[in-house]
Amino acid sequence: MTEPLKIALAGLGTVGTGVVRLIETNADLIARRARRPVRITAVSARDRTKDRGVDLSPYAWVDDPAELAAREDVDVVVEMVGGSDGPALALARTALANGKSFVTANKAMIAHHGLELAKVAEDAGVALKFEAAVAGGIPVINGLIDGASANAVERVYGILNGTCNYILSTMEDTGADFGEVLAEAQRLGYAEADPTFDIEGIDAGHKLSILAAIAFGAKLDFGAVEAQGIAQIKAADIEQAHGLGYVIRLIGFSEVDRHDGMPRLFQRVRPYLVPLGHPLANVDGPTNAIVAEGNFVGRLLFQGAGAGDGPTASAVVADIIEVARGEMGPAFAMPVEELEPMAAAACGHRVSSAYIRFTVLDRPGVLAEITAAMRDAGVSIESMIQKGDPDQDGVVILAVVTHQGPEAGVVEAMRILEGSSSLTAPPLVMQILAN
Amino acid sequence: MTEPLKIALAGLGTVGTGVVRLIETNADLIARRARRPVRITAVSARDRTKDRGVDLSPYAWVDDPAELAAREDVDVVVEMVGGSDGPALALARTALANGKSFVTANKAMIAHHGLELAKVAEDAGVALKFEAAVAGGIPVINGLIDGASANAVERVYGILNGTCNYILSTMEDTGADFGEVLAEAQRLGYAEADPTFDIEGIDAGHKLSILAAIAFGAKLDFGAVEAQGIAQIKAADIEQAHGLGYVIRLIGFSEVDRHDGMPRLFQRVRPYLVPLGHPLANVDGPTNAIVAEGNFVGRLLFQGAGAGDGPTASAVVADIIEVARGEMGPAFAMPVEELEPMAAAACGHRVSSAYIRFTVLDRPGVLAEITAAMRDAGVSIESMIQKGDPDQDGVVILAVVTHQGPEAGVVEAMRILEGSSSLTAPPLVMQILAN
């Protein structure tokens, strides 16, 4: 086992460069922990001349990343090119089929093609690993596959997108509105120039679908993730929520619904009200945190940096070290054919409390209209708060918190109110996370 | 790999019974994740007739646990007898020497004999695993060996004793004094009839020494742990700390001191003041939480149930599943001979802020005496608070917070004040955890 493990890197952006730095900086330690040296043999990126702050001269340079999959001097291909399809996917397919193990931080590709790639890896007897694809440096995939392996996982949920968490916790701290904080996050590099994937919950959905497959032994189904983003959240919501004892966080939430004996997979990304005493309520800034609840272990929390070159490189190299040790188990903890296909669970019969924010005209009869709709839909109201004076258009914000009840009721109440002339915008519904 | 893995259990207390229940309840899932069935073949405990709420009739009963180590139908011996020496140690030695893998929740035994046992396991080519020995159900050993494996760990610290954390957080919530809360904890089963190991920090020290060996690749050295317990903490300390923006937690803290180029191991269990914004400040009740700081990943937090039959069984069975998968790596992440022997670090040159609580006579000159001692020792005072009126003996509590400075200064100041007639009890020094 003293033969070095030979690595090829495709993509030398900040993460790829971070992997080079990590493998060089911690080389001795890695060799002791991996029980053999880990050596980079070849690299590939778009621009050979760019100064990346690391010396790449010891490594073979390859212009076409696809060539890495064919090299004799490569045991593991590490992909940091990005994109769910295109060159990254082509490289993954070829590398695995050629008997190279494959390590990636590419959540979009795994969310879309993870099952296909896992099958190719199994057939070739090599490893497919993607710890860095979920929650950056936090070893939560390892935590589910190894640490919590003895448990039937009852639910897995958490803060999976650092950009959204930075925006929400900054709105909380400063009282500023969404657009303002987003612009600041872009200036600081916490949000991309095109932030759609982050703020619409797509990125968190990619990660959630990967976690759910591993946690529940279910066939990965990104297409069934219900995703809603954070752009609608106003400073007033955060203030109201705080007054009620909650913070607002974008939560990816998944569990298996077995209400009629047939397992169905529930996967939702949505802003939730999180009770102040809940461990996720204290997660601020770009930090990520994931809760897994097991039938024996109870609630486990994994928290850390969800992005950044150092943390992501840490997760990539942890995967490489597992390959070096010969730990080549299936990518989703069990062989692909053993993963259970599960239909998407409808949310209607789920029981929860909800916060509903209405923007309404400040005129007589509005409250009566809303409360009548709630009554007709069988939704019981716990509290109703209207804070502040009407703005210049006579519009006020009204926050309603419901008692525990089936989500179908809230959906029905919103249907009844659809098109009401009292409402100046569609209501925003956020579930309250159980403590 | 479809041959079942055959398990023998020694000890059928609450944890042992929990392991039986877990293996029965989650049998199918375990077989899918372990890629082979896990089957209990033999059990041993003191009293065969006791009703444990599980059916033991399918398993061979052995009166002497030592016999388990010799049985043909056993691949893994799981020890839940307890005690650092005696039958548990004898069983470990024999089982490993006989080529059985060995899984245990016994922190005292690993803290005292872990290196010896790890060497026996290596020589026999079998696994020694003890995830359950540290922080109950939290997979932190796995987190260090696998998840954070790419990092040089800079420090590892956390809340490692649920009894102390329950007592401190209850004192915080209720304002009650130590003795009162301890008695209640004993009634509720959160503290043992003889709570010495817990409240003196010995139990946390066992766990800390195991974590430190793995995190730093250092030879385990429980004897070098500086341990101080929580019995001296008064309700007034908690109140003062809160006013200053801190909570008090018993923290096990370890890092490698390299100030003169020679690595020395610093291991301390002591009550710390934890800033309210720190993730450990929100850890209440019997929960445990561990922070590992790596040179690339930054700060990782692992949190969950630190004790209890379900969580402990979860960790024990996770170890069994790793053995079933053939993951037989060294117990401390690297072979025993590669672990670095490190002398104990003296705390004198460590730089920190401290909280010092004096119980003093309320008379002129006391403040001058204390501040002069601090000045002479080179300790700079940040704040000084005396709250409340003197008690019937004219005694008041005076809390001093120092600026950052070498701990040696505080030690010297305490030496100067030793025997002072102004002090009615020895001062209590608690370091402030950096945020």
Side-chain angles (χ1 to χ4, degrees):
Chain A
M1 276 283 265
T2 51
E3 188 65 16
L5 184 78
K6 298 183 289 297
I7 308 294
L9 305 183
L12 292 170
T14 54
V15 173
T17 311
V19 170
V20 175
R21 273 195 304 120
L22 199 169
I23 290 178
E24 288 173 355
T25 309
N26 291 350
D28 288 350
L29 199 62
I30 291 170
R32 288 163 77 200
R33 296 217 181 109
R35 307 194 284 281
R36 58 198 282 205
V38 166
R39 195 163 295 158
I40 300 170
T41 51
V43 298
S44 172
R46 238 175 277 167
D47 181 358
R48 187 167 187 172
T49 60
K50 188 173 165 186
D51 180 9
R52 295 174 169 88
V54 290
D55 177 15
L56 298 170
S57 63
Y59 319 128
W61 180 278
V62 174
D63 283 317
D64 179 4
E67 282 179 36
L68 298 174
R71 289 178 71 99
E72 287 283 312
D73 62 353
V74 171
D75 302 313
V76 183
V77 173
V78 181
E79 180 270 316
M80 289 155 305
V81 173
S84 62
D85 294 77
L89 182 60
L91 179 62
R93 285 176 175 148
T94 324
L96 291 167
N98 286 359
K100 316 288 190 198
S101 287
F102 193 82
V103 171
T104 179
N106 189 331
K107 48 217 150 215
M109 180 174 79
I110 297 300
H112 286 281
H113 306 288
L115 293 181
E116 174 209 323
L117 296 176
K119 187 74 176 63
V120 180
E122 279 165 33
D123 292 346
V126 293
L128 167 68
K129 290 184 184 273
F130 39 78
E131 180 65 80
V134 178
I138 308 173
V140 62
I141 290 183
N142 180 60
L144 290 173
I145 294 185
D146 287 358
S149 59
N151 291 268
V153 178
E154 290 166 347
R155 59 194 63 82
V156 62
Y157 59 97
I159 293 171
L160 297 170
N161 184 276
T163 304
C164 289
N165 208 62
Y166 172 83
I167 292 174
L168 291 172
S169 61
T170 305
M171 286 172 72
E172 200 174 294
D173 291 343
T174 62
D177 253 315
F178 174 78
E180 202 179 316
V181 178
L182 171 61
E184 193 208 340
Q186 288 172 313
R187 264 198 313 279
L188 291 171
Y190 289 142
E192 313 256 353
D194 176 0
T196 316
F197 262 39
D198 291 315
I199 65 173
E200 302 279 307
I202 312 296
D203 174 79
H206 287 148
K207 297 166 181 168
L208 182 67
S209 66
I210 297 169
L211 287 178
I214 295 170
F216 307 124
K219 285 243 190 297
L220 191 152
D221 188 4
F222 168 66
V225 176
E226 265 182 47
Q228 183 183 314
I230 62 166
Q232 291 169 272
I233 295 171
K234 296 177 192 290
D237 292 314
I238 291 179
E239 201 190 323
Q240 303 275 34
H242 206 266
L244 295 161
Y246 302 97
V247 296
I248 299 178
R249 291 287 180 270
L250 184 74
I251 302 285
F253 186 102
S254 182
E255 64 186 359
V256 178
D257 172 348
R258 301 183 189 273
H259 78 284
D260 62 359
M262 165 99 147
R264 291 189 180 83
L265 188 56
F266 180 73
Q267 302 176 98
R268 168 191 276 168
V269 176
R270 191 184 268 198
Y272 276 74
L273 268 62
V274 180
L276 285 173
H278 192 286
L280 294 183
N282 303 305
V283 179
D284 295 325
T287 302
N288 281 198
I290 297 98
V291 174
E293 293 181 5
N295 67 339
F296 277 77
V297 75
R299 187 183 276 179
L300 286 178
L301 173 75
F302 301 88
Q303 183 173 322
D309 54 339
T312 308
S314 166
V316 166
V317 178
D319 279 348
I320 293 172
I321 291 173
E322 290 210 325
V323 175
R325 289 174 181 159
E327 295 174 6
M328 314 286 271
F332 293 96
M334 50 187 77
V336 171
E337 66 266 31
E338 288 185 34
L339 295 170
E340 220 174 331
M342 294 188 196
C347 66
H349 72 280
R350 287 180 59 78
V351 170
S352 64
S353 298
Y355 165 100
I356 311 169
R357 180 252 290 158
F358 298 95
T359 44
V360 299
L361 292 170
D362 185 35
R363 66 179 188 201
V366 171
L367 276 189
E369 187 183 350
I370 290 174
T371 51
M374 304 291 259
R375 177 202 60 210
D376 294 349
V379 178
S380 161
I381 294 175
E382 184 184 292
S383 64
M384 206 156 188
I385 308 174
Q386 182 192 315
K387 264 197 184 154
D389 294 323
D391 67 11
Q392 71 262 31
D393 302 320
V395 172
V396 287
I397 283 184
L398 177 73
V400 171
V401 174
T402 72
H403 279 120
Q404 293 268 345
E407 292 190 11
V410 173
V411 171
E412 172 62 9
M414 296 307 103
R415 200 198 52 72
I416 296 173
L417 288 167
E418 221 171 75
S420 157
S421 64
S422 303
L423 308 190
T424 62
L428 173 66
V429 178
M430 294 188 272
Q431 264 65 40
I432 296 178
L433 196 67
N435 206 346
Chain B
M1 278 282 266
T2 50
E3 188 65 15
L5 184 77
K6 299 185 286 298
I7 308 293
L9 305 183
L12 292 169
T14 53
V15 173
T17 311
V19 170
V20 174
R21 273 196 304 120
L22 199 169
I23 290 178
E24 287 174 354
T25 309
N26 292 350
D28 288 350
L29 199 62
I30 291 170
R32 287 163 77 201
R33 297 217 182 109
R35 306 194 284 283
R36 57 197 282 204
V38 166
R39 196 162 295 158
I40 299 169
T41 52
V43 298
S44 173
R46 237 174 280 165
D47 181 359
R48 186 168 186 168
T49 59
K50 187 172 166 186
D51 180 9
R52 296 175 169 87
V54 290
D55 177 15
L56 298 170
S57 63
Y59 318 128
W61 180 278
V62 174
D63 283 316
D64 178 4
E67 282 178 37
L68 298 174
R71 288 179 71 99
E72 287 284 311
D73 62 353
V74 171
D75 302 314
V76 183
V77 173
V78 181
E79 180 271 316
M80 290 156 304
V81 173
S84 62
D85 294 79
L89 183 60
L91 178 62
R93 285 176 175 148
T94 325
L96 291 167
N98 286 358
K100 317 289 188 195
S101 286
F102 192 81
V103 172
T104 179
N106 188 331
K107 49 218 150 215
M109 181 175 76
I110 297 300
H112 285 281
H113 306 289
L115 293 181
E116 175 210 323
L117 296 175
K119 188 71 179 60
V120 180
E122 279 166 32
D123 291 346
V126 294
L128 166 68
K129 291 185 184 273
F130 39 78
E131 181 66 81
V134 177
I138 309 173
V140 62
I141 290 182
N142 180 60
L144 290 173
I145 293 185
D146 286 358
S149 59
N151 291 268
V153 178
E154 289 166 346
R155 58 193 63 82
V156 63
Y157 59 97
I159 293 170
L160 297 170
N161 184 275
T163 305
C164 288
N165 208 61
Y166 172 82
I167 292 174
L168 291 172
S169 61
T170 306
M171 286 172 72
E172 200 174 294
D173 292 345
T174 62
D177 253 315
F178 173 78
E180 203 179 318
V181 179
L182 171 61
E184 193 208 341
Q186 287 172 315
R187 265 199 311 279
L188 292 170
Y190 289 140
E192 313 257 353
D194 176 0
T196 316
F197 263 39
D198 292 315
I199 65 173
E200 302 279 310
I202 312 297
D203 173 80
H206 287 147
K207 297 166 182 168
L208 183 67
S209 67
I210 298 169
L211 287 178
I214 295 170
F216 307 124
K219 287 246 190 297
L220 191 152
D221 188 3
F222 168 67
V225 175
E226 266 181 48
Q228 182 182 315
I230 62 167
Q232 291 170 272
I233 296 171
K234 296 176 190 293
D237 292 314
I238 290 177
E239 199 191 325
Q240 302 275 33
H242 206 265
L244 294 161
Y246 302 97
V247 296
I248 299 178
R249 292 287 181 269
L250 184 73
I251 302 287
F253 186 102
S254 183
E255 63 185 359
V256 178
D257 172 348
R258 301 183 190 272
H259 77 286
D260 62 358
M262 164 99 149
R264 291 189 180 83
L265 188 58
F266 180 73
Q267 302 176 95
R268 168 192 277 166
V269 177
R270 193 186 267 198
Y272 276 74
L273 267 65
V274 180
L276 286 172
H278 191 287
L280 295 183
N282 303 306
V283 179
D284 294 326
T287 303
N288 280 197
I290 298 98
V291 174
E293 295 180 5
N295 66 338
F296 277 77
V297 76
R299 187 183 275 178
L300 287 177
L301 173 75
F302 301 87
Q303 183 173 321
D309 53 339
T312 308
S314 165
V316 166
V317 179
D319 278 348
I320 294 172
I321 290 174
E322 291 210 323
V323 175
R325 289 173 180 159
E327 295 175 5
M328 313 284 272
F332 294 95
M334 51 188 76
V336 171
E337 66 268 30
E338 288 185 33
L339 295 170
E340 220 175 330
M342 292 188 196
C347 67
H349 72 280
R350 288 181 58 79
V351 171
S352 65
S353 297
Y355 165 100
I356 311 168
R357 180 251 290 159
F358 298 94
T359 44
V360 299
L361 292 171
D362 187 35
R363 66 180 188 200
V366 170
L367 276 188
E369 188 184 348
I370 290 175
T371 51
M374 305 290 260
R375 177 203 58 210
D376 294 347
V379 177
S380 161
I381 294 175
E382 185 185 292
S383 64
M384 207 155 187
I385 308 173
Q386 182 193 315
K387 263 196 185 155
D389 294 323
D391 68 12
Q392 71 264 29
D393 302 320
V395 172
V396 288
I397 282 184
L398 177 71
V400 171
V401 174
T402 73
H403 279 119
Q404 294 267 346
E407 292 190 11
V410 173
V411 171
E412 171 63 9
M414 297 306 104
R415 198 198 53 74
I416 296 173
L417 289 166
E418 220 172 79
S420 158
S421 64
S422 303
L423 308 189
T424 64
L428 173 65
V429 178
M430 294 188 272
Q431 263 65 41
I432 297 178
L433 197 67
N435 206 344

